Amino acid sequence: MAILKLDKVTKKFGGLVAVNNVSLELEQGQLAGLIGPNGAGKTTIFNVITGVYRPDSGKVYFMGIDITKKKPHEIAALGIARTFQNIKLFHRMSVLDNVRVACHFRLKASVFSAVLDLPKYAREEREMTKESLDLLEAVGLKQLANESAGSLPYGYQRKLEIARALATRPKILLLDEPAAGMNPEETAELMRFIKRIRDEFGLTILLIEHDMKVVMGICEKITVLDHGCVIAEGSPKEIQNNPEVIKAYLGSGVYARS
Amino acid sequence: MYKQPSFWLTLIALVVFFAFISYAQNNFDAYVIRIMNVAAIYVILGVSLNLINGFTGQFSLGHAGFMAIGAYASALLYMSPELKAMNFFIKPLIWPLNRIQIPFFPALLIGGLLAAGAGFLVGAPCMRVKGDYLAIVTYGFSEIIRVLFNNLQSVTNGPLGLKGLPTYTNLWWSWGWAVFTVFFIKRLIDSSYGRALKAIRDNEEAAEAMGVNLFYHKTLAFVVGAFFAGIAGGLLGSLVMTIDPNAFNIMLTFQIVLIVLLGGLGSITGTVISGVLIAVLMEWLRIVETPMKIFGITIPGISGMRMLIFSIILMISVLFFRHGILGDREFSWQGVISFFKRRQSNRGG
């Protein structure tokens, strides 16, 4: 059974149909890509999956549960985590605190036991801190744990965002343009990193990316969007040779000549 | 926690502080004691507003409303039935409020809890509005409270207010509550809940995507902030001995916002310092309201000049010292210890 299933999802903004009747399935453990020209509706799909937008029609299923009407924090708690196209860290907080925030929803101790630092809370706090430090170690940021997140260099901020997403213990990780603004070396490292965390944490990953080297290099399945519609779906090879895709990216022959 | 030196240092500091308070209560003159009481109340107000505005990033202007609820609720509970009968000469106070009298502490607590309930009612719909709009909604709330209290003749005595309240507030009560407020809110913002609040301040969308329940946490900030504002209102009522709805107007909220901005949004230490500072300045600046003779020119005393000066201070601080006295830095024993160590090593080398 598919771990994530979009069933004929449509999302309109006024007269603009951002996502048009899109159906999409992700298998457990898959590393899938979502590509398309600017404005194709890729990020809107992420926002629909994570509950930021409610679709006008269609349904989203996660492990068989209908999550279409759930709130973003509920969906995060169920096991779908994301990163953002334009990095959205908690800038004034430390690197460690950024990750610990993402553990917060699992906290069982009440506000009062947190304020009084009762043993129940203290134990949970220790566990959260340990888990967060382990995650920071996994992404190679442990030595920067006490720095302010806003002061990190760009590449580290991307990694911190992924570490933060992992702290929610997701089953699915949605990455929105993880390689944006990276040089070729950083991109190559990022590709290895994404594959590694997929295997290490047993994740299913869906990523949006403009860098074709990344998409073709690591994705097992690619979905191509154009003007809100799915125009192609398949392995990287199939996609590269699909005339529809070439048309969407480069324009049709007639327009290209004129 | 109990093994760290900072815990013992805090304990010692508190013992010394309260020794000073008890000395002050018995030996200082009434005028100084009153300023110290006001300072404590400002500290409570500033720190509790900072929780909402500074740490959670929800710009609220509703503090005067919460204070009014706390002040009235507690006063109506701790006043004696005879005193109430004397106050309510136009319309009698409704039953059962006209019969009961309870001690000061539980009255304060109930006032705080009612304010916290109002905090919930304001915080919950604030899920829908942000930024400037939130400021307007919360300001609207505090105006509604004021108008309501002006018209609920048989509960609040309307614009006549309550007069001759017994003075229970002393330095023990006021500074005891101030210390408790600082302790509670400091512990709260350093906990996992506090991190969630700060995450909401830094980026609401990301916080929600990381599983932070926005509704719960924003409401939490409002409820806790309003509770302490209610307590401060109760303390203030019993200190100034008279309350009327119009005392809790926008100028009062403005003063608290000034305390928070001067101290630094997101710094409890800064808020404590600026709370005390403003309380002292408020008194000291009374000299600008008295008639003065400068170089032979007589300037008549203009009441309200103090607020003008505060406005100028606010403008200067917003223009040039955005982060207030301390920004979002905090006092810590580690900081003090390392400061002295550095000085020592400088002297040695």
Side-chain angles (χ1 to χ4, degrees):
Chain A
M1 191 184 72
I3 186 165
L4 182 76
K5 185 176 165 198
L6 271 70
D7 187 23
K8 298 188 186 118
V9 168
T10 299
K11 175 71 196 168
K12 295 176 195 153
F13 295 109
L16 178 82
V17 186
V19 175
N20 192 358
N21 209 20
V22 167
S23 294
L24 189 78
E25 283 193 15
L26 276 183
E27 298 300 327
Q28 168 76 43
Q30 210 167 33
L31 209 168
L34 194 58
I35 64 170
N38 285 328
K42 307 181 295 287
T43 300
T44 308
I45 287 188
F46 270 26
N47 283 334
V48 167
I49 296 172
T50 53
V52 177
Y53 298 147
R54 211 162 269 184
D56 293 297
S57 64
K59 293 247 183 268
V60 184
Y61 298 96
F62 172 61
M63 300 203 302
I65 312 166
D66 183 358
I67 58 165
T68 321
K69 285 183 179 150
K70 288 203 186 300
K71 295 217 175 74
H73 71 91
E74 294 169 326
I75 292 172
L78 280 172
I80 301 181
R82 72 176 294 183
T83 66
F84 295 89
Q85 190 175 354
N86 40 348
I87 305 174
K88 287 182 176 168
L89 289 173
F90 309 125
H91 286 274
R92 283 165 70 185
M93 297 168 72
S94 75
V95 169
L96 175 63
D97 282 354
N98 263 270
V99 183
R100 283 198 287 188
V101 165
C103 302
H104 175 69
F105 73 90
R106 287 193 298 272
L107 185 74
K108 290 197 185 66
S110 70
V111 178
F112 290 100
S113 89
V115 167
L116 297 173
D117 204 14
L118 297 181
K120 179 181 161 62
Y121 169 77
R123 197 190 62 239
E124 286 192 81
E125 170 82 10
R126 271 197 304 277
E127 281 165 10
M128 273 193 270
T129 308
K130 188 184 175 300
E131 186 175 345
S132 303
L133 283 171
D134 288 347
L135 278 169
L136 285 175
E137 191 165 28
V139 302
L141 293 175
K142 195 179 180 182
Q143 71 284 3
L144 298 169
N146 293 319
E147 299 294 316
S148 142
S151 69
L152 290 186
Y154 187 79
Y156 285 174
Q157 291 200 2
R158 284 256 173 239
K159 280 194 167 170
L160 175 56
E161 225 193 2
I162 294 175
R164 187 179 69 177
L166 290 175
T168 65
R169 294 187 195 159
K171 295 183 180 68
I172 299 181
L173 184 59
L174 308 174
L175 300 172
D176 200 343
E177 298 200 27
M182 286 190 173
N183 64 34
E185 273 161 61
E186 287 171 329
T187 306
E189 205 233 309
L190 180 84
M191 284 163 65
R192 285 195 296 277
F193 175 70
I194 290 174
K195 271 196 166 156
R196 202 189 82 212
I197 57 168
R198 196 258 312 248
D199 299 335
E200 218 169 281
F201 295 92
L203 295 170
T204 306
I205 294 179
L206 177 63
L207 60 86
I208 293 175
E209 191 48 73
H210 277 299
D211 191 329
M212 285 305 147
K213 221 186 279 163
V214 175
V215 182
M216 298 301 167
I218 60 173
C219 292
E220 290 144 8
K221 186 189 111 175
I222 295 171
T223 305
V224 189
L225 280 179
D226 189 27
H227 294 107
C229 302
V230 176
I231 56 167
E233 203 170 20
S235 68
K237 260 232 170 77
E238 289 164 2
I239 296 299
Q240 269 166 331
N241 301 321
N242 188 313
E244 280 284 319
V245 176
I246 295 165
K247 195 172 119 191
Y249 268 91
L250 301 174
S252 67
V254 181
Y255 293 118
R257 237 176 278 136
S258 62
Chain B
M1 175 179 171
Y2 304 103
K3 284 171 191 155
Q4 287 162 0
S6 59
F7 172 77
W8 296 105
L9 284 168
T10 309
L11 203 68
I12 293 165
L14 278 177
V15 168
V16 171
F17 179 72
F18 279 107
F20 168 71
I21 288 294
S22 84
Y23 175 80
Q25 183 70 50
N26 297 322
N27 297 291
F28 285 11
D29 72 84
Y31 180 62
V32 176
I33 289 176
R34 189 189 163 96
I35 296 174
M36 287 174 71
N37 274 319
V38 171
I41 291 168
Y42 279 179
V43 167
I44 301 173
L45 289 169
V47 171
S48 60
L49 187 67
N50 212 341
L51 175 71
I52 303 172
N53 288 20
F55 291 104
T56 319
Q58 308 299 307
F59 201 87
S60 163
L61 294 176
H63 242 48
F66 300 135
M67 280 177 77
I69 292 172
Y72 269 95
S74 58
L76 287 171
L77 289 170
Y78 65 64
M79 282 164 82
S80 65
E82 300 80 55
L83 187 60
K84 288 178 196 171
M86 261 167 65
N87 264 295
F88 287 79
F89 56 84
I90 293 183
K91 241 184 194 178
L93 182 61
I94 51 157
W95 189 87
L97 281 172
N98 59 355
R99 290 285 165 79
I100 45 176
Q101 184 185 15
I102 61 171
F104 185 53
F105 183 67
L108 262 188
L109 272 186
I110 292 172
L113 289 174
L114 283 175
F120 176 80
L121 290 179
V122 179
C126 286
M127 282 303 296
R128 304 222 164 261
V129 286
K130 283 175 197 159
D132 312 352
Y133 298 99
L134 178 68
I136 293 167
V137 169
T138 50
Y139 168 52
F141 155 79
S142 97
E143 279 299 288
I144 288 170
I145 293 291
R146 195 172 64 83
V147 172
L148 210 63
F149 281 17
N150 256 323
N151 290 290
L152 282 174
Q153 193 75 41
S154 55
V155 183
T156 63
N157 207 19
L160 291 171
L162 304 174
K163 294 192 174 63
L165 304 182
T167 15
Y168 292 113
T169 304
N170 55 23
L171 288 179
W172 285 103
W173 280 121
S174 61
W175 278 102
W177 272 107
V179 167
F180 177 70
T181 309
V182 170
F183 167 82
F184 189 96
I185 291 183
K186 171 77 179 140
R187 299 280 325 161
L188 177 66
I189 56 155
D190 284 348
S191 76
S192 187
Y193 287 93
R195 288 196 291 269
L197 298 182
K198 288 185 252 178
I200 292 173
R201 169 195 69 193
D202 279 3
N203 196 314
E204 207 171 302
E205 200 185 330
E208 201 179 18
M210 295 305 126
V212 174
N213 186 338
L214 293 185
F215 178 81
Y216 179 85
H217 288 90
K218 282 186 184 178
T219 320
L220 173 73
F222 268 98
V223 167
V224 173
F227 172 78
F228 286 111
I231 297 287
L235 288 168
L236 189 69
S238 178
L239 177 70
V240 300
M241 289 158 62
T242 166
I243 48 177
D244 70 281
N246 296 328
F248 301 98
N249 61 7
I250 186 69
M251 290 313 290
L252 185 59
T253 302
F254 167 74
Q255 263 181 42
I256 309 166
V257 171
L258 179 71
I259 291 168
V260 172
L261 287 179
L262 270 186
L265 279 167
S267 170
I268 290 180
T269 318
T271 312
V272 172
I273 294 171
S274 74
V276 173
L277 206 66
I278 298 264
V280 173
L281 270 182
M282 276 300 262
E283 287 305 316
W284 183 70
L285 283 174
R286 275 187 200 280
I287 49 171
V288 303
E289 294 186 1
T290 55
M292 275 180 291
K293 221 176 180 184
I294 304 173
F295 303 120
I297 306 162
T298 312
I299 301 165
I302 306 164
S303 61
M305 274 295 277
R306 282 183 298 167
M307 290 323 287
L308 192 71
I309 290 178
F310 278 117
S311 308
I312 293 168
I313 294 176
L314 182 63
M315 273 195 272
I316 292 173
S317 69
V318 166
L319 286 174
F320 302 109
F321 310 101
R322 274 284 165 75
H323 303 293
I325 299 171
L326 283 178
D328 50 13
R329 279 164 297 169
E330 293 287 0
F331 169 85
S332 73
W333 289 111
Q334 271 89 352
V336 175
I337 292 165
S338 63
F339 174 76
F340 280 111
K341 273 189 184 152
R342 241 177 299 148
R343 275 190 56 175
Q344 222 155 31
S345 66
N346 281 353
R347 220 178 288 157

